[in-house]
Amino acid sequence: MACTVVVDGFFGDGGKGKIVSYLAVADDVTVCARGGVGPNAGHTVVKEGVTYKLRMVPCGFVNPRTRLLIGPGVTVNPEVLLKEVDELGVEDRLGLDPQCAIIEPRHIEEDRRGHLKEKIGTTGTGTGPCNADRALRVAKMAREVPEFKGFITDVPAELNDALEMEEPVLLEGTQGTYISLYHGTYPYVTSNDVCASAICSDVGVGPTRVDEVVLVLKSYVTRVGAGYLAGEVSMDEAKRLGWDEYGTVTGRQRRAAPFNFELAKRAVMLNGATQIALTKLDILYPECSGASDFGDLDQEAVAFVEKIEDHVGIPVTLIGTGPGVKEIIDRR
Ligand code: IMP
Ligand code: MG
Protein backbone atom coordinates (compact mmCIF):
# COMPACT_ATOMS: atom_id res chain seq x y z
CA MET A 1 0.00 0.00 0.00
CA ALA A 2 1.45 3.35 -1.02
CA CYS A 3 -1.23 5.96 -1.62
CA THR A 4 -4.76 4.86 -0.70
CA VAL A 5 -7.94 6.93 -0.95
CA VAL A 6 -10.99 5.95 1.11
CA VAL A 7 -14.43 7.18 -0.01
CA ASP A 8 -18.07 6.20 0.56
CA GLY A 9 -20.08 4.69 -2.30
CA PHE A 10 -23.60 5.56 -1.10
CA PHE A 11 -24.88 8.58 0.87
CA GLY A 12 -22.19 8.78 3.55
CA ASP A 13 -22.20 7.18 7.00
CA GLY A 14 -20.92 3.90 5.62
CA GLY A 15 -18.24 3.53 8.27
CA LYS A 16 -15.26 5.34 6.74
CA GLY A 17 -14.01 6.18 10.22
CA LYS A 18 -13.67 2.53 11.12
CA ILE A 19 -12.00 1.60 7.82
CA VAL A 20 -9.57 4.55 7.88
CA SER A 21 -8.61 3.88 11.49
CA TYR A 22 -8.09 0.19 10.75
CA LEU A 23 -5.87 0.92 7.72
CA ALA A 24 -3.89 3.57 9.61
CA VAL A 25 -2.85 0.93 12.12
CA ALA A 26 -2.71 -2.20 9.91
CA ASP A 27 -0.56 -0.46 7.27
CA ASP A 28 1.22 1.76 9.80
CA VAL A 29 0.66 4.85 7.65
CA THR A 30 3.04 7.78 7.91
CA VAL A 31 0.46 10.40 6.99
CA CYS A 32 -3.34 10.47 7.05
CA ALA A 33 -4.88 13.49 5.34
CA ARG A 34 -8.49 14.53 5.39
CA GLY A 35 -10.20 15.88 2.28
CA GLY A 36 -13.95 16.36 1.85
CA VAL A 37 -16.29 19.13 2.84
CA GLY A 38 -15.74 19.88 6.53
CA PRO A 39 -17.36 19.48 9.96
CA ASN A 40 -20.68 18.42 8.40
CA ALA A 41 -19.08 14.96 8.50
CA GLY A 42 -18.99 12.79 11.59
CA HIS A 43 -16.63 9.84 11.56
CA THR A 44 -16.98 7.29 14.33
CA VAL A 45 -13.96 5.41 15.62
CA VAL A 46 -14.11 2.83 18.42
CA LYS A 47 -10.72 2.25 19.96
CA GLU A 48 -10.27 0.00 22.98
CA GLY A 49 -13.94 0.35 23.89
CA VAL A 50 -13.91 4.17 23.70
CA THR A 51 -16.07 5.81 20.99
CA TYR A 52 -14.69 8.90 19.26
CA LYS A 53 -16.85 11.07 16.97
CA LEU A 54 -14.51 13.05 14.75
CA ARG A 55 -15.66 15.97 12.65
CA MET A 56 -12.31 17.49 11.68
CA VAL A 57 -9.30 15.45 12.83
CA PRO A 58 -8.37 12.57 10.49
CA CYS A 59 -9.33 9.11 11.82
CA GLY A 60 -5.73 7.98 11.43
CA PHE A 61 -5.15 9.52 14.90
CA VAL A 62 -5.51 6.00 16.35
CA ASN A 63 -1.96 5.31 15.19
CA PRO A 64 0.26 7.47 17.45
CA ARG A 65 2.97 7.49 14.76
CA THR A 66 0.71 8.96 12.07
CA ARG A 67 0.99 12.60 11.01
CA LEU A 68 -2.50 14.14 10.65
CA LEU A 69 -3.23 16.68 7.93
CA ILE A 70 -6.23 18.68 6.76
CA GLY A 71 -6.10 19.70 3.09
CA PRO A 72 -6.88 23.14 1.63
CA GLY A 73 -10.15 21.90 0.06
CA VAL A 74 -11.68 21.40 3.51
CA THR A 75 -13.75 24.03 5.35
CA VAL A 76 -12.71 24.37 8.99
CA ASN A 77 -14.63 25.44 12.06
CA PRO A 78 -11.84 26.63 14.41
CA GLU A 79 -13.85 25.94 17.57
CA VAL A 80 -14.67 22.36 16.54
CA LEU A 81 -11.12 21.64 15.38
CA LEU A 82 -9.35 23.10 18.44
CA LYS A 83 -11.68 21.22 20.81
CA GLU A 84 -11.01 17.92 19.03
CA VAL A 85 -7.26 18.49 18.94
CA ASP A 86 -7.32 19.18 22.65
CA GLU A 87 -9.51 16.19 23.52
CA LEU A 88 -7.41 13.80 21.45
CA GLY A 89 -4.08 15.31 22.48
CA VAL A 90 -2.80 15.46 18.89
CA GLU A 91 -1.44 19.03 18.87
CA ASP A 92 2.10 17.87 18.11
CA ARG A 93 1.14 15.93 14.98
CA LEU A 94 -1.67 17.92 13.37
CA GLY A 95 -1.10 20.12 10.31
CA LEU A 96 -3.53 22.45 8.60
CA ASP A 97 -3.17 24.01 5.18
CA PRO A 98 -3.10 27.85 5.15
CA GLN A 99 -5.81 27.85 2.46
CA CYS A 100 -8.48 25.93 4.36
CA ALA A 101 -11.62 28.13 4.31
CA ILE A 102 -12.92 29.19 7.71
CA ILE A 103 -16.52 28.70 8.80
CA GLU A 104 -17.76 31.82 10.57
CA PRO A 105 -20.89 32.22 12.76
CA ARG A 106 -22.78 33.87 9.88
CA HIS A 107 -22.28 30.75 7.76
CA ILE A 108 -23.85 28.60 10.44
CA GLU A 109 -26.80 31.01 10.80
CA GLU A 110 -27.37 30.97 7.05
CA ASP A 111 -27.21 27.17 6.98
CA ARG A 112 -29.94 26.95 9.64
CA ARG A 113 -32.69 28.87 7.83
CA GLY A 114 -34.43 29.20 4.46
CA HIS A 115 -34.11 26.59 1.74
CA LEU A 116 -30.93 25.05 3.16
CA LYS A 117 -32.83 24.04 6.29
CA GLU A 118 -36.36 23.57 4.92
CA LYS A 119 -35.72 22.08 1.49
CA ILE A 120 -32.28 20.45 1.57
CA GLY A 121 -32.11 19.50 5.23
CA THR A 122 -28.42 20.31 5.63
CA THR A 123 -26.43 19.50 8.73
CA GLY A 124 -26.56 23.21 9.67
CA THR A 125 -22.82 23.31 10.22
CA GLY A 126 -22.12 26.23 7.85
CA THR A 127 -20.08 24.29 5.30
CA GLY A 128 -22.27 25.20 2.28
CA PRO A 129 -22.36 28.98 2.91
CA CYS A 130 -18.61 28.88 3.63
CA ASN A 131 -17.93 27.16 0.29
CA ALA A 132 -20.19 29.74 -1.40
CA ASP A 133 -18.03 32.50 0.10
CA ARG A 134 -14.92 30.69 -1.08
CA ALA A 135 -16.30 30.66 -4.63
CA LEU A 136 -17.05 34.38 -4.29
CA ARG A 137 -13.43 34.90 -3.16
CA VAL A 138 -14.44 36.45 0.18
CA ALA A 139 -13.85 33.52 2.58
CA LYS A 140 -11.48 33.86 5.52
CA MET A 141 -8.46 31.55 5.26
CA ALA A 142 -6.82 29.40 7.96
CA ARG A 143 -3.66 31.53 7.63
CA GLU A 144 -5.63 34.46 9.08
CA VAL A 145 -6.54 32.66 12.32
CA PRO A 146 -3.90 33.39 15.08
CA GLU A 147 -4.88 30.24 17.07
CA PHE A 148 -3.80 28.13 14.09
CA LYS A 149 -0.28 29.50 13.92
CA GLY A 150 1.42 26.37 15.25
CA PHE A 151 -0.51 24.08 12.90
CA ILE A 152 -0.11 25.78 9.54
CA THR A 153 1.80 23.71 7.01
CA ASP A 154 2.00 23.13 3.25
CA VAL A 155 -0.20 20.02 3.13
CA PRO A 156 0.34 19.16 -0.57
CA ALA A 157 4.13 19.43 -0.11
CA GLU A 158 4.14 17.23 2.99
CA LEU A 159 2.02 14.57 1.29
CA ASN A 160 4.00 14.53 -1.93
CA ASP A 161 7.30 14.39 0.00
CA ALA A 162 5.99 11.34 1.87
CA LEU A 163 4.97 9.72 -1.42
CA GLU A 164 8.36 10.52 -2.92
CA MET A 165 9.95 8.64 0.01
CA GLU A 166 7.55 5.73 -0.67
CA GLU A 167 5.93 6.11 2.71
CA PRO A 168 2.35 4.79 3.10
CA VAL A 169 -0.21 7.60 2.82
CA LEU A 170 -3.93 7.48 3.51
CA LEU A 171 -6.38 10.03 2.08
CA GLU A 172 -9.64 10.16 4.00
CA GLY A 173 -12.78 11.27 2.18
CA THR A 174 -16.01 12.48 3.77
CA GLN A 175 -19.71 12.24 2.91
CA GLY A 176 -20.68 9.89 0.06
CA THR A 177 -20.79 9.54 -3.72
CA TYR A 178 -24.52 10.26 -4.06
CA ILE A 179 -24.40 13.47 -2.07
CA SER A 180 -21.58 14.77 -4.26
CA LEU A 181 -22.34 18.22 -5.65
CA TYR A 182 -21.56 16.91 -9.17
CA HIS A 183 -22.52 13.24 -9.12
CA GLY A 184 -25.20 13.10 -6.46
CA THR A 185 -28.94 13.71 -6.47
CA TYR A 186 -28.76 17.51 -6.97
CA PRO A 187 -30.02 19.67 -5.30
CA TYR A 188 -30.17 17.22 -2.36
CA VAL A 189 -26.41 17.10 -2.05
CA THR A 190 -23.53 18.61 -0.11
CA SER A 191 -21.58 21.67 -1.23
CA ASN A 192 -18.62 20.04 -3.00
CA ASP A 193 -17.69 16.99 -5.03
CA VAL A 194 -16.71 14.20 -2.65
CA CYS A 195 -15.62 11.44 -5.06
CA ALA A 196 -12.07 10.03 -5.01
CA SER A 197 -10.59 12.53 -7.47
CA ALA A 198 -12.07 15.43 -5.48
CA ILE A 199 -10.54 14.11 -2.27
CA CYS A 200 -7.13 14.03 -4.02
CA SER A 201 -7.66 17.59 -5.22
CA ASP A 202 -8.69 18.68 -1.71
CA VAL A 203 -5.31 17.63 -0.34
CA GLY A 204 -3.12 18.41 -3.38
CA VAL A 205 -2.25 14.90 -4.58
CA GLY A 206 -2.38 14.31 -8.34
CA PRO A 207 -4.25 11.39 -9.94
CA THR A 208 -1.07 9.60 -11.10
CA ARG A 209 0.00 9.25 -7.44
CA VAL A 210 -2.92 7.12 -6.32
CA ASP A 211 -2.48 3.35 -6.00
CA GLU A 212 -5.70 2.15 -4.40
CA VAL A 213 -9.21 3.54 -4.08
CA VAL A 214 -11.16 1.79 -1.32
CA LEU A 215 -14.90 2.23 -1.75
CA VAL A 216 -16.76 1.87 1.53
CA LEU A 217 -20.21 0.30 1.13
CA LYS A 218 -22.45 -0.40 4.09
CA SER A 219 -24.45 -3.67 3.97
CA TYR A 220 -27.64 -1.58 3.77
CA VAL A 221 -28.11 2.02 2.64
CA THR A 222 -28.89 5.04 4.81
CA ARG A 223 -29.51 8.66 4.00
CA VAL A 224 -30.05 11.76 6.15
CA GLY A 225 -31.77 14.90 4.91
CA ALA A 226 -34.01 15.17 1.84
CA GLY A 227 -33.75 13.43 -1.57
CA TYR A 228 -34.83 10.17 -3.21
CA LEU A 229 -33.83 6.87 -1.62
CA ALA A 230 -34.69 3.78 -3.69
CA GLY A 231 -36.36 1.00 -1.72
CA GLU A 232 -36.75 3.15 1.40
CA VAL A 233 -38.30 1.26 4.33
CA SER A 234 -40.36 2.86 7.11
CA MET A 235 -38.62 4.08 10.26
CA ASP A 236 -40.33 1.25 12.17
CA GLU A 237 -39.18 -1.36 9.68
CA ALA A 238 -35.65 0.08 9.94
CA LYS A 239 -35.79 -0.38 13.71
CA ARG A 240 -36.98 -3.97 13.32
CA LEU A 241 -34.09 -4.72 10.94
CA GLY A 242 -31.52 -3.03 13.16
CA TRP A 243 -30.93 -0.44 10.42
CA ASP A 244 -31.97 2.49 12.59
CA GLU A 245 -29.05 4.86 12.91
CA TYR A 246 -28.79 8.37 14.22
CA GLY A 247 -26.65 11.15 12.72
CA THR A 248 -23.25 11.69 14.31
CA VAL A 249 -23.52 15.45 13.80
CA THR A 250 -27.27 16.11 13.88
CA GLY A 251 -28.75 13.22 15.90
CA ARG A 252 -31.46 12.77 13.23
CA GLN A 253 -32.70 9.22 12.56
CA ARG A 254 -31.32 8.19 9.19
CA ARG A 255 -33.63 6.92 6.48
CA ALA A 256 -32.81 3.35 5.42
CA ALA A 257 -33.04 0.99 2.44
CA PRO A 258 -31.59 -2.38 1.38
CA PHE A 259 -28.13 -2.64 -0.25
CA ASN A 260 -28.35 -1.15 -3.74
CA PHE A 261 -26.32 -3.07 -6.34
CA GLU A 262 -26.87 -0.54 -9.13
CA LEU A 263 -25.72 2.42 -7.04
CA ALA A 264 -22.73 0.37 -5.89
CA LYS A 265 -21.71 -0.40 -9.46
CA ARG A 266 -21.96 3.22 -10.55
CA ALA A 267 -20.01 4.34 -7.47
CA VAL A 268 -17.20 1.96 -8.43
CA MET A 269 -17.12 3.66 -11.84
CA LEU A 270 -17.31 7.24 -10.56
CA ASN A 271 -14.53 6.69 -8.03
CA GLY A 272 -12.29 4.41 -10.07
CA ALA A 273 -12.47 2.07 -7.09
CA THR A 274 -10.04 -0.85 -6.87
CA GLN A 275 -11.47 -2.56 -3.79
CA ILE A 276 -14.58 -2.60 -1.64
CA ALA A 277 -14.74 -2.29 2.13
CA LEU A 278 -18.10 -3.81 3.07
CA THR A 279 -19.21 -2.59 6.50
CA LYS A 280 -21.74 -3.70 9.09
CA LEU A 281 -22.12 -7.20 7.69
CA ASP A 282 -22.93 -8.27 11.28
CA ILE A 283 -26.14 -6.22 11.14
CA LEU A 284 -27.43 -8.30 8.19
CA TYR A 285 -25.94 -11.56 9.47
CA PRO A 286 -25.64 -11.44 13.29
CA GLU A 287 -23.86 -14.83 13.34
CA CYS A 288 -20.78 -13.22 11.80
CA SER A 289 -20.45 -10.68 14.63
CA GLY A 290 -16.80 -10.09 15.48
CA ALA A 291 -15.49 -12.53 12.84
CA SER A 292 -11.95 -11.82 11.63
CA ASP A 293 -11.62 -14.75 9.23
CA PHE A 294 -13.54 -15.12 5.97
CA GLY A 295 -13.82 -18.85 6.66
CA ASP A 296 -15.92 -18.10 9.74
CA LEU A 297 -18.74 -16.49 7.73
CA ASP A 298 -21.86 -18.57 7.15
CA GLN A 299 -23.07 -19.48 3.67
CA GLU A 300 -25.62 -16.70 3.32
CA ALA A 301 -23.09 -14.01 4.25
CA VAL A 302 -20.52 -15.43 1.83
CA ALA A 303 -23.15 -15.51 -0.94
CA PHE A 304 -23.94 -11.83 -0.30
CA VAL A 305 -20.26 -10.87 -0.54
CA GLU A 306 -19.84 -12.87 -3.75
CA LYS A 307 -22.97 -11.36 -5.27
CA ILE A 308 -21.53 -7.88 -4.69
CA GLU A 309 -18.19 -8.86 -6.25
CA ASP A 310 -19.93 -10.39 -9.28
CA HIS A 311 -22.08 -7.34 -9.77
CA VAL A 312 -19.51 -4.55 -9.35
CA GLY A 313 -16.47 -6.36 -10.75
CA ILE A 314 -13.91 -5.61 -8.02
CA PRO A 315 -13.01 -7.58 -4.89
CA VAL A 316 -14.43 -7.07 -1.42
CA THR A 317 -11.15 -6.94 0.48
CA LEU A 318 -12.26 -5.64 3.88
CA ILE A 319 -15.38 -6.71 5.76
CA GLY A 320 -16.59 -5.01 8.93
CA THR A 321 -18.14 -7.39 11.46
CA GLY A 322 -18.53 -5.06 14.44
CA PRO A 323 -17.82 -1.50 15.60
CA GLY A 324 -14.33 -2.08 17.03
CA VAL A 325 -11.22 -1.36 14.96
CA LYS A 326 -10.28 -5.05 15.19
CA GLU A 327 -13.68 -6.48 14.21
CA ILE A 328 -12.76 -6.81 10.58
CA ILE A 329 -11.86 -9.42 7.96
CA ASP A 330 -8.84 -8.38 5.90
CA ARG A 331 -8.55 -10.37 2.66
CA ARG A 332 -5.95 -8.16 0.99
P1 IMP B 1 -24.60 19.88 4.13
O1 IMP B 1 -23.44 19.08 3.67
O2 IMP B 1 -24.59 20.14 5.61
O3 IMP B 1 -24.79 21.12 3.32
O4 IMP B 1 -25.92 19.01 3.89
C1 IMP B 1 -26.37 18.66 2.59
C2 IMP B 1 -26.91 17.23 2.57
O5 IMP B 1 -25.83 16.32 2.76
C3 IMP B 1 -27.91 16.92 3.68
O6 IMP B 1 -28.84 15.97 3.18
C4 IMP B 1 -27.05 16.29 4.75
O7 IMP B 1 -27.80 15.43 5.59
C5 IMP B 1 -26.07 15.50 3.89
N1 IMP B 1 -24.78 15.28 4.57
C6 IMP B 1 -23.79 16.17 4.77
N2 IMP B 1 -22.75 15.61 5.40
C7 IMP B 1 -23.07 14.33 5.59
C8 IMP B 1 -22.37 13.22 6.16
O8 IMP B 1 -21.24 13.30 6.64
N3 IMP B 1 -23.04 12.04 6.17
C9 IMP B 1 -24.28 11.91 5.65
N4 IMP B 1 -24.96 12.90 5.10
C10 IMP B 1 -24.36 14.11 5.07
MG1 MG C 1 -21.02 10.16 9.22
Side-chain angles (χ1 to χ4, degrees):
M1 131 152 199
C3 183
T4 302
V5 186
V6 181
V7 288
D8 178 291
F10 291 141
F11 299 89
D13 306 315
K16 275 184 297 296
K18 182 208 164 86
I19 298 300
V20 170
S21 55
Y22 171 75
L23 291 174
V25 174
D27 297 351
D28 195 19
V29 304
T30 306
V31 193
C32 178
R34 184 140 166 178
V37 184
N40 50 348
H43 293 177
T44 305
V45 175
V46 182
K47 187 196 173 194
E48 283 147 20
V50 182
T51 302
Y52 301 88
K53 306 252 184 207
L54 305 178
R55 293 172 57 196
M56 296 253 58
V57 170
C59 295
F61 89 92
V62 295
N63 182 341
R65 200 185 80 80
T66 304
R67 172 91 169 132
L68 308 170
L69 300 175
I70 299 177
V74 178
T75 64
V76 170
N77 179 325
E79 212 178 304
V80 173
L81 176 60
L82 292 168
K83 186 162 172 266
E84 268 181 29
V85 168
D86 186 47
E87 281 171 3
L88 300 170
V90 295
E91 39 281 293
D92 53 340
R93 55 193 179 104
L94 181 94
L96 185 66
D97 196 87
Q99 304 237 78
C100 290
I102 299 300
I103 296 171
E104 299 186 69
R106 65 188 157 87
H107 295 137
I108 296 172
E109 283 159 30
E110 200 180 328
D111 209 6
R112 291 184 180 178
R113 60 173 189 243
H115 82 289
L116 290 175
K117 178 174 197 273
E118 310 302 338
K119 180 179 173 186
I120 311 298
T122 72
T123 59
T125 51
T127 50
C130 178
N131 272 331
D133 269 0
R134 195 204 290 253
L136 290 170
R137 271 59 53 84
V138 296
K140 186 173 173 180
M141 299 272 100
R143 60 175 179 252
E144 299 170 60
V145 179
E147 293 83 359
F148 285 164
K149 227 177 179 76
F151 300 125
I152 296 294
T153 187
D154 183 339
V155 167
E158 275 205 44
L159 283 170
N160 284 279
D161 284 352
L163 291 171
E164 210 54 55
M165 310 274 283
E166 297 186 8
E167 301 275 355
V169 165
L170 199 51
L171 306 182
E172 174 179 352
T174 64
Q175 283 76 38
T177 298
Y178 295 103
I179 57 169
S180 156
L181 181 63
Y182 300 160
H183 304 291
T185 54
Y186 191 95
Y188 303 104
V189 293
T190 189
S191 56
N192 216 339
D193 182 20
V194 289
C195 295
S197 37
I199 300 308
C200 295
S201 167
D202 286 339
V203 300
V205 167
T208 54
R209 291 292 190 175
V210 175
D211 300 294
E212 298 288 341
V213 175
V214 176
L215 188 73
V216 176
L217 295 172
K218 190 158 58 183
S219 298
Y220 49 96
V221 183
T222 57
R223 173 165 205 174
V224 270
Y228 178 63
L229 178 62
E232 181 168 1
V233 302
S234 70
M235 292 296 193
D236 285 344
E237 179 70 355
K239 276 203 178 120
R240 194 185 66 74
L241 293 164
W243 297 356
D244 57 317
E245 295 182 3
Y246 303 86
T248 310
V249 176
T250 59
R252 292 181 285 188
Q253 185 176 346
R254 295 177 182 146
R255 300 155 58 203
F259 188 91
N260 188 317
F261 290 86
E262 293 316 308
L263 290 183
K265 189 172 182 178
R266 185 171 171 82
V268 167
M269 174 188 84
L270 289 168
N271 291 284
T274 57
Q275 22 178 323
I276 303 282
L278 183 65
T279 57
K280 297 208 174 184
L281 190 65
D282 55 301
I283 304 289
L284 287 200
Y285 305 102
E287 317 73 47
C288 72
S289 228
S292 54
D293 194 314
F294 194 68
D296 291 341
L297 295 187
D298 67 14
Q299 247 178 354
E300 260 187 289
V302 170
F304 179 59
V305 172
E306 288 175 347
K307 187 174 171 192
I308 294 171
E309 290 181 325
D310 284 348
H311 197 86
V312 304
I314 59 170
V316 174
T317 53
L318 297 167
I319 300 172
T321 58
V325 178
K326 290 177 185 151
E327 291 171 305
I328 196 163
I329 298 167
D330 188 344
R331 307 164 77 203
R332 294 178 299 160

